[in-house]
Amino acid sequence: MKKSENWTAPTAAIEHDFFVNNDPMNHGTQGAIKDGVYSFYADVVTPYFDAAKNLGIPINKAASSGNPNGVWTLNAAIDTKNVSRCFSYNGYYLPNSHRSNLVVVTGAQVTKILTKTKKGIVSATGVEYISGNKTFGVNVKKEVILSAGAIQSPQILELSGIGNKALLKRLSIPVVLDLPGVGENYLSSNSFITPDKAKTDSTFAAQQFEAYVQNRTGIYSATSATTLGFLPLNEFLAPAVAASLLRDLDAALPHQPSHLRSQYALQRKWLDDPSVPQIEVVLFAAISGASPEPGKSYYSIALDLQHLWSRGSVHITTADPLTPPNIDGQYLNSVGDFDMKLLIESVKWAQKLSQTEPLKNITLASISLPLNASDDEIRAFIASNGGTEWHFAGTAAMLPRDQNGVVDSKLKVYGTSNIRVVDASILPVVSNSAHSIRCETPDTSS
């Protein structure tokens, strides 16, 4: 991270007031991606920090060191000189776009990797893609680096004849390599949000937008999410509640498929480790998932499970490369119902946070979910309002082949000589699940 980072230090006031991590040991200054912190913070941020401290949650001023635990201010990939986004296009591509050996084709979709097999080893010889309703091919001299994400990387592999042979035969795709783990082990964030009241003012909004256009200041110079937190179990669950959840999980674990046991053993170990966070807490100084009322102000608290116990799949349903694959998320269908139970307890904790001073003093109501909601009511609300946070992973997992692994420790697809996967699909146990609650605040904007 430090190698890619070009950090701009904040002002002394911002560093002090919002607990910014400005330790030079934790930041790079020579990388391609410019980053820093915002110059604007909503009124809810300070009482939120103080309420978290009053609940015993530590303030983390060194999250960039690799320890995310506690509540902290988000670093943003922005060029602080002109307050604009910095990302792969302007950070990496533009400075290198003149290179003769770099060609980027836009508006194109890869349809398959062309291969040959010799002595049981599959080698990529080319890549086929569609652009402007025409099919093109590119020859491969060295390697194919697949980075289409956890949805389309397995799709491309299966279209290329690499995957579960039963599925490929059913779709009349010639089997190049039988690799049953392709598209399995799908992990994604499951999300829902409950609104809490804040303020809408069209005149104020227009003034703020003009301020951003003219001098890059005001509410439009920052996103609504500026504050994050990561909590291990012991920081948001009472010991008796944690013990009950873990007993139910432990009773269910012995009955799980053998290829998942090593993953689950690691996740189970993390639950007992106070250095490993289990939920991410995101403060949004805005309403999310509901329509605001005129003259009201809102904030939202998102709760994201860090280590999901549910496992889904992503598979093609046709040989047509332009047909999206089928995503079977199996959301919240987890071992011992653990994901749902942990979300329910997370919601209770967030409601407790909203009723802790000084945040309580500016919180008027919880919009979608009563503060005294029962477990069954919270469960029903999660089931009806769930969504995704788009953090997909796991579908070309870096695991042993007999555990449904797809790539080895060097990211090379098993059974191939020159095909590698380099996106989040290789991660076997990392993803998020989310819930948010929104709270009504008095009008503090003018």
Side-chain angles (χ1 to χ4, degrees), residues 325-369:
N326 178 65
I327 303 172
D328 181 3
Q330 290 292 306
Y331 301 119
L332 300 176
N333 185 19
S334 62
V335 182
D337 199 28
F338 191 79
D339 288 348
M340 175 64 86
K341 291 175 180 177
L342 198 57
L343 275 179
I344 291 171
E345 297 303 324
S346 300
V347 171
K348 294 179 189 177
W349 179 86
Q351 291 176 325
K352 181 179 179 181
L353 177 66
S354 75
Q355 296 302 297
T356 300
E357 296 291 4
L359 191 58
K360 179 181 179 180
N361 187 51
I362 64 167
T363 302
L364 303 183
S366 178
I367 306 305
S368 296
L369 194 65

Short mmCIF file of all heavy atoms in Angstrom, two decimals, residues 325-369:
data_model
loop_
_atom_site.label_atom_id
_atom_site.label_comp_id
_atom_site.label_asym_id
_atom_site.label_seq_id
_atom_site.Cartn_x
_atom_site.Cartn_y
_atom_site.Cartn_z
N PRO A 325 -23.71 -14.42 -15.87
CA PRO A 325 -23.76 -15.69 -15.13
C PRO A 325 -24.81 -15.63 -14.03
O PRO A 325 -25.28 -14.56 -13.64
CB PRO A 325 -22.36 -15.81 -14.54
CG PRO A 325 -21.89 -14.40 -14.41
CD PRO A 325 -22.48 -13.66 -15.57
N ASN A 326 -25.18 -16.79 -13.53
CA ASN A 326 -26.14 -16.87 -12.42
C ASN A 326 -25.39 -16.73 -11.10
O ASN A 326 -24.41 -17.43 -10.86
CB ASN A 326 -26.86 -18.22 -12.46
CG ASN A 326 -27.83 -18.36 -11.29
OD1 ASN A 326 -28.81 -17.62 -11.21
ND2 ASN A 326 -27.56 -19.29 -10.39
N ILE A 327 -25.86 -15.82 -10.26
CA ILE A 327 -25.25 -15.60 -8.95
C ILE A 327 -26.18 -16.17 -7.89
O ILE A 327 -27.29 -15.67 -7.70
CB ILE A 327 -25.02 -14.10 -8.69
CG1 ILE A 327 -24.13 -13.50 -9.79
CG2 ILE A 327 -24.39 -13.90 -7.32
CD1 ILE A 327 -24.03 -11.98 -9.71
N ASP A 328 -25.74 -17.20 -7.23
CA ASP A 328 -26.49 -17.80 -6.12
C ASP A 328 -25.78 -17.42 -4.83
O ASP A 328 -24.84 -18.07 -4.40
CB ASP A 328 -26.56 -19.32 -6.27
CG ASP A 328 -27.34 -19.98 -5.15
OD1 ASP A 328 -27.88 -19.26 -4.29
OD2 ASP A 328 -27.40 -21.23 -5.13
N GLY A 329 -26.22 -16.31 -4.23
CA GLY A 329 -25.49 -15.74 -3.10
C GLY A 329 -25.57 -16.55 -1.82
O GLY A 329 -24.67 -16.47 -0.98
N GLN A 330 -26.64 -17.31 -1.63
CA GLN A 330 -26.85 -18.01 -0.36
C GLN A 330 -26.72 -17.03 0.82
O GLN A 330 -26.22 -17.39 1.89
CB GLN A 330 -25.86 -19.17 -0.21
CG GLN A 330 -26.10 -20.33 -1.14
CD GLN A 330 -27.40 -21.08 -0.82
OE1 GLN A 330 -27.61 -21.51 0.33
NE2 GLN A 330 -28.25 -21.23 -1.81
N TYR A 331 -27.16 -15.80 0.59
CA TYR A 331 -27.00 -14.77 1.60
C TYR A 331 -27.65 -15.16 2.92
O TYR A 331 -28.82 -15.55 2.96
CB TYR A 331 -27.60 -13.45 1.11
CG TYR A 331 -26.97 -12.95 -0.17
CD1 TYR A 331 -27.73 -12.77 -1.32
CD2 TYR A 331 -25.61 -12.64 -0.22
CE1 TYR A 331 -27.15 -12.30 -2.49
CE2 TYR A 331 -25.03 -12.18 -1.38
CZ TYR A 331 -25.80 -12.01 -2.52
OH TYR A 331 -25.23 -11.55 -3.67
N LEU A 332 -26.89 -15.06 4.00
CA LEU A 332 -27.33 -15.32 5.37
C LEU A 332 -27.70 -16.78 5.62
O LEU A 332 -28.19 -17.11 6.69
CB LEU A 332 -28.52 -14.40 5.73
CG LEU A 332 -28.20 -12.91 5.66
CD1 LEU A 332 -29.46 -12.09 5.95
CD2 LEU A 332 -27.10 -12.53 6.65
N ASN A 333 -27.49 -17.64 4.63
CA ASN A 333 -27.72 -19.07 4.83
C ASN A 333 -26.40 -19.69 5.30
O ASN A 333 -25.73 -20.40 4.57
CB ASN A 333 -28.19 -19.72 3.52
CG ASN A 333 -28.55 -21.18 3.70
OD1 ASN A 333 -28.79 -21.63 4.82
ND2 ASN A 333 -28.56 -21.92 2.61
N SER A 334 -26.06 -19.41 6.54
CA SER A 334 -24.72 -19.72 7.02
C SER A 334 -24.73 -20.82 8.08
O SER A 334 -25.78 -21.20 8.60
CB SER A 334 -24.07 -18.46 7.61
OG SER A 334 -24.82 -18.00 8.72
N VAL A 335 -23.55 -21.29 8.40
CA VAL A 335 -23.38 -22.34 9.41
C VAL A 335 -23.96 -21.87 10.74
O VAL A 335 -23.62 -20.79 11.25
CB VAL A 335 -21.87 -22.64 9.61
CG1 VAL A 335 -21.70 -23.76 10.62
CG2 VAL A 335 -21.22 -22.98 8.28
N GLY A 336 -24.87 -22.66 11.31
CA GLY A 336 -25.45 -22.31 12.60
C GLY A 336 -26.21 -21.00 12.60
O GLY A 336 -26.42 -20.41 13.66
N ASP A 337 -26.58 -20.51 11.41
CA ASP A 337 -27.29 -19.22 11.29
C ASP A 337 -26.45 -18.09 11.86
O ASP A 337 -26.96 -17.07 12.32
CB ASP A 337 -28.64 -19.30 12.01
CG ASP A 337 -29.61 -18.20 11.57
OD1 ASP A 337 -29.50 -17.74 10.41
OD2 ASP A 337 -30.46 -17.81 12.37
N PHE A 338 -25.12 -18.26 11.83
CA PHE A 338 -24.24 -17.35 12.54
C PHE A 338 -24.25 -15.95 11.95
O PHE A 338 -24.25 -14.95 12.68
CB PHE A 338 -22.81 -17.89 12.55
CG PHE A 338 -21.88 -17.15 13.47
CD1 PHE A 338 -21.90 -17.39 14.83
CD2 PHE A 338 -21.00 -16.20 12.98
CE1 PHE A 338 -21.07 -16.70 15.70
CE2 PHE A 338 -20.15 -15.51 13.84
CZ PHE A 338 -20.18 -15.75 15.20
N ASP A 339 -24.26 -15.83 10.61
CA ASP A 339 -24.24 -14.50 10.00
C ASP A 339 -25.45 -13.67 10.42
O ASP A 339 -25.33 -12.50 10.79
CB ASP A 339 -24.20 -14.60 8.46
CG ASP A 339 -22.87 -15.08 7.93
OD1 ASP A 339 -21.89 -15.11 8.70
OD2 ASP A 339 -22.79 -15.41 6.73
N MET A 340 -26.62 -14.26 10.36
CA MET A 340 -27.83 -13.55 10.75
C MET A 340 -27.80 -13.18 12.23
O MET A 340 -28.13 -12.04 12.61
CB MET A 340 -29.07 -14.38 10.44
CG MET A 340 -30.38 -13.77 10.91
SD MET A 340 -30.80 -12.21 10.09
CE MET A 340 -31.65 -12.82 8.62
N LYS A 341 -27.41 -14.12 13.06
CA LYS A 341 -27.39 -13.85 14.51
C LYS A 341 -26.42 -12.72 14.84
O LYS A 341 -26.69 -11.86 15.69
CB LYS A 341 -27.01 -15.11 15.28
CG LYS A 341 -28.07 -16.20 15.24
CD LYS A 341 -27.57 -17.46 15.93
CE LYS A 341 -28.63 -18.56 15.90
NZ LYS A 341 -28.13 -19.82 16.50
N LEU A 342 -25.27 -12.71 14.16
CA LEU A 342 -24.29 -11.66 14.42
C LEU A 342 -24.79 -10.30 13.92
O LEU A 342 -24.55 -9.27 14.56
CB LEU A 342 -22.95 -12.01 13.77
CG LEU A 342 -21.72 -11.26 14.30
CD1 LEU A 342 -21.57 -11.45 15.81
CD2 LEU A 342 -20.46 -11.70 13.57
N LEU A 343 -25.49 -10.30 12.80
CA LEU A 343 -26.08 -9.05 12.32
C LEU A 343 -27.13 -8.51 13.30
O LEU A 343 -27.20 -7.31 13.55
CB LEU A 343 -26.71 -9.25 10.94
CG LEU A 343 -25.78 -9.14 9.74
CD1 LEU A 343 -26.55 -9.40 8.45
CD2 LEU A 343 -25.13 -7.76 9.68
N ILE A 344 -27.95 -9.40 13.82
CA ILE A 344 -28.97 -8.97 14.79
C ILE A 344 -28.31 -8.30 15.99
O ILE A 344 -28.73 -7.22 16.43
CB ILE A 344 -29.84 -10.17 15.23
CG1 ILE A 344 -30.71 -10.65 14.06
CG2 ILE A 344 -30.70 -9.80 16.43
CD1 ILE A 344 -31.44 -11.95 14.34
N GLU A 345 -27.26 -8.93 16.51
CA GLU A 345 -26.57 -8.34 17.66
C GLU A 345 -25.86 -7.04 17.28
O GLU A 345 -25.76 -6.12 18.10
CB GLU A 345 -25.57 -9.35 18.24
CG GLU A 345 -26.20 -10.61 18.80
CD GLU A 345 -27.24 -10.32 19.89
OE1 GLU A 345 -27.04 -9.36 20.67
OE2 GLU A 345 -28.26 -11.03 19.96
N SER A 346 -25.37 -6.96 16.06
CA SER A 346 -24.71 -5.73 15.60
C SER A 346 -25.70 -4.58 15.54
O SER A 346 -25.37 -3.43 15.88
CB SER A 346 -24.08 -5.96 14.23
OG SER A 346 -23.11 -6.99 14.26
N VAL A 347 -26.92 -4.87 15.08
CA VAL A 347 -27.95 -3.85 15.02
C VAL A 347 -28.26 -3.33 16.43
O VAL A 347 -28.38 -2.12 16.66
CB VAL A 347 -29.23 -4.40 14.36
CG1 VAL A 347 -30.38 -3.41 14.50
CG2 VAL A 347 -28.98 -4.71 12.90
N LYS A 348 -28.37 -4.24 17.37
CA LYS A 348 -28.64 -3.82 18.75
C LYS A 348 -27.52 -2.91 19.27
O LYS A 348 -27.78 -1.91 19.95
CB LYS A 348 -28.76 -5.06 19.66
CG LYS A 348 -29.95 -5.94 19.38
CD LYS A 348 -29.90 -7.11 20.37
CE LYS A 348 -30.90 -8.17 20.07
NZ LYS A 348 -30.78 -9.32 20.99
N TRP A 349 -26.29 -3.25 18.93
CA TRP A 349 -25.17 -2.42 19.37
C TRP A 349 -25.24 -1.03 18.74
O TRP A 349 -25.00 -0.03 19.42
CB TRP A 349 -23.84 -3.10 19.02
CG TRP A 349 -22.66 -2.26 19.43
CD1 TRP A 349 -22.05 -2.24 20.65
CD2 TRP A 349 -21.99 -1.28 18.62
NE1 TRP A 349 -21.04 -1.33 20.66
CE2 TRP A 349 -20.97 -0.72 19.42
CE3 TRP A 349 -22.14 -0.83 17.32
CZ2 TRP A 349 -20.11 0.27 18.95
CZ3 TRP A 349 -21.29 0.15 16.84
CH2 TRP A 349 -20.29 0.70 17.65
N ALA A 350 -25.57 -0.96 17.46
CA ALA A 350 -25.67 0.33 16.79
C ALA A 350 -26.80 1.17 17.38
O ALA A 350 -26.68 2.40 17.51
CB ALA A 350 -25.88 0.13 15.29
N GLN A 351 -27.90 0.51 17.74
CA GLN A 351 -28.98 1.24 18.40
C GLN A 351 -28.53 1.78 19.76
O GLN A 351 -28.87 2.90 20.14
CB GLN A 351 -30.20 0.33 18.55
CG GLN A 351 -30.88 -0.01 17.23
CD GLN A 351 -32.03 -0.99 17.40
OE1 GLN A 351 -31.97 -1.88 18.24
NE2 GLN A 351 -33.07 -0.82 16.60
N LYS A 352 -27.75 0.97 20.45
CA LYS A 352 -27.20 1.42 21.74
C LYS A 352 -26.27 2.62 21.54
O LYS A 352 -26.30 3.58 22.31
CB LYS A 352 -26.45 0.27 22.40
CG LYS A 352 -25.85 0.60 23.75
CD LYS A 352 -25.14 -0.63 24.33
CE LYS A 352 -24.51 -0.32 25.68
NZ LYS A 352 -23.80 -1.51 26.23
N LEU A 353 -25.46 2.58 20.49
CA LEU A 353 -24.57 3.70 20.17
C LEU A 353 -25.36 4.97 19.91
O LEU A 353 -25.01 6.05 20.39
CB LEU A 353 -23.71 3.34 18.95
CG LEU A 353 -22.77 4.44 18.44
CD1 LEU A 353 -21.68 4.74 19.46
CD2 LEU A 353 -22.15 4.01 17.10
N SER A 354 -26.46 4.85 19.16
CA SER A 354 -27.27 6.03 18.85
C SER A 354 -27.91 6.63 20.08
O SER A 354 -28.31 7.80 20.07
CB SER A 354 -28.34 5.67 17.81
OG SER A 354 -29.40 4.94 18.40
N GLN A 355 -28.02 5.84 21.16
CA GLN A 355 -28.62 6.31 22.40
C GLN A 355 -27.58 6.60 23.48
O GLN A 355 -27.91 6.71 24.67
CB GLN A 355 -29.63 5.27 22.92
CG GLN A 355 -30.81 5.06 21.99
CD GLN A 355 -31.57 6.35 21.75
OE1 GLN A 355 -32.13 6.94 22.67
NE2 GLN A 355 -31.59 6.82 20.50
N THR A 356 -26.33 6.73 23.04
CA THR A 356 -25.23 7.08 23.95
C THR A 356 -24.84 8.53 23.72
O THR A 356 -24.67 8.96 22.58
CB THR A 356 -24.02 6.16 23.71
OG1 THR A 356 -24.40 4.80 23.94
CG2 THR A 356 -22.87 6.52 24.64
N GLU A 357 -24.73 9.29 24.80
CA GLU A 357 -24.35 10.70 24.66
C GLU A 357 -22.90 10.84 24.18
O GLU A 357 -22.07 9.97 24.46
CB GLU A 357 -24.50 11.43 26.02
CG GLU A 357 -25.91 11.49 26.52
CD GLU A 357 -26.83 12.40 25.69
OE1 GLU A 357 -26.38 12.93 24.66
OE2 GLU A 357 -28.00 12.55 26.08
N PRO A 358 -22.63 11.90 23.42
CA PRO A 358 -23.54 12.98 23.03
C PRO A 358 -24.32 12.70 21.73
O PRO A 358 -25.06 13.57 21.29
CB PRO A 358 -22.58 14.15 22.82
CG PRO A 358 -21.32 13.53 22.36
CD PRO A 358 -21.22 12.21 23.07
N LEU A 359 -24.17 11.51 21.15
CA LEU A 359 -24.92 11.21 19.93
C LEU A 359 -26.42 11.18 20.21
O LEU A 359 -27.23 11.59 19.37
CB LEU A 359 -24.45 9.88 19.34
CG LEU A 359 -24.93 9.51 17.94
CD1 LEU A 359 -24.55 10.58 16.91
CD2 LEU A 359 -24.38 8.15 17.52
N LYS A 360 -26.79 10.69 21.39
CA LYS A 360 -28.21 10.63 21.74
C LYS A 360 -28.85 12.01 21.69
O LYS A 360 -30.02 12.15 21.30
CB LYS A 360 -28.36 10.03 23.14
CG LYS A 360 -29.81 9.95 23.61
CD LYS A 360 -29.91 9.37 25.01
CE LYS A 360 -31.37 9.33 25.47
NZ LYS A 360 -31.49 8.77 26.83
N ASN A 361 -28.09 13.02 22.06
CA ASN A 361 -28.63 14.38 22.14
C ASN A 361 -29.06 14.93 20.78
O ASN A 361 -29.92 15.81 20.71
CB ASN A 361 -27.58 15.31 22.76
CG ASN A 361 -28.13 16.69 23.02
OD1 ASN A 361 -29.18 16.83 23.65
ND2 ASN A 361 -27.43 17.71 22.54
N ILE A 362 -28.49 14.39 19.71
CA ILE A 362 -28.87 14.87 18.37
C ILE A 362 -29.67 13.83 17.60
O ILE A 362 -29.96 14.01 16.42
CB ILE A 362 -27.63 15.29 17.55
CG1 ILE A 362 -26.72 14.09 17.27
CG2 ILE A 362 -26.87 16.40 18.25
CD1 ILE A 362 -25.67 14.36 16.22
N THR A 363 -30.02 12.73 18.25
CA THR A 363 -30.79 11.66 17.60
C THR A 363 -32.24 11.75 18.03
O THR A 363 -32.56 11.56 19.21
CB THR A 363 -30.21 10.28 17.95
OG1 THR A 363 -28.84 10.23 17.56
CG2 THR A 363 -30.98 9.17 17.25
N LEU A 364 -33.13 12.01 17.09
CA LEU A 364 -34.54 12.18 17.41
C LEU A 364 -35.36 10.91 17.24
O LEU A 364 -36.32 10.70 17.97
CB LEU A 364 -35.14 13.29 16.54
CG LEU A 364 -34.46 14.66 16.64
CD1 LEU A 364 -35.21 15.67 15.79
CD2 LEU A 364 -34.39 15.12 18.09
N ALA A 365 -34.99 10.08 16.26
CA ALA A 365 -35.80 8.88 16.01
C ALA A 365 -35.03 7.90 15.13
O ALA A 365 -34.14 8.28 14.37
CB ALA A 365 -37.12 9.25 15.33
N SER A 366 -35.40 6.64 15.25
CA SER A 366 -34.97 5.61 14.32
C SER A 366 -36.13 5.35 13.38
O SER A 366 -37.23 5.03 13.83
CB SER A 366 -34.60 4.33 15.08
OG SER A 366 -34.21 3.31 14.18
N ILE A 367 -35.92 5.50 12.08
CA ILE A 367 -37.03 5.58 11.15
C ILE A 367 -37.66 4.23 10.83
O ILE A 367 -38.86 4.03 10.98
CB ILE A 367 -36.59 6.25 9.83
CG1 ILE A 367 -35.94 7.60 10.13
CG2 ILE A 367 -37.77 6.42 8.88
CD1 ILE A 367 -36.80 8.53 10.94
N SER A 368 -36.86 3.26 10.40
CA SER A 368 -37.43 2.01 9.88
C SER A 368 -37.57 0.92 10.93
O SER A 368 -38.34 -0.01 10.75
CB SER A 368 -36.58 1.48 8.73
OG SER A 368 -36.62 2.37 7.65
N LEU A 369 -36.80 1.02 11.99
CA LEU A 369 -36.76 -0.05 12.98
C LEU A 369 -36.83 0.56 14.38
O LEU A 369 -35.96 1.35 14.74
CB LEU A 369 -35.47 -0.86 12.81
CG LEU A 369 -35.39 -2.21 13.52
CD1 LEU A 369 -36.42 -3.19 12.96
CD2 LEU A 369 -33.98 -2.78 13.36
#
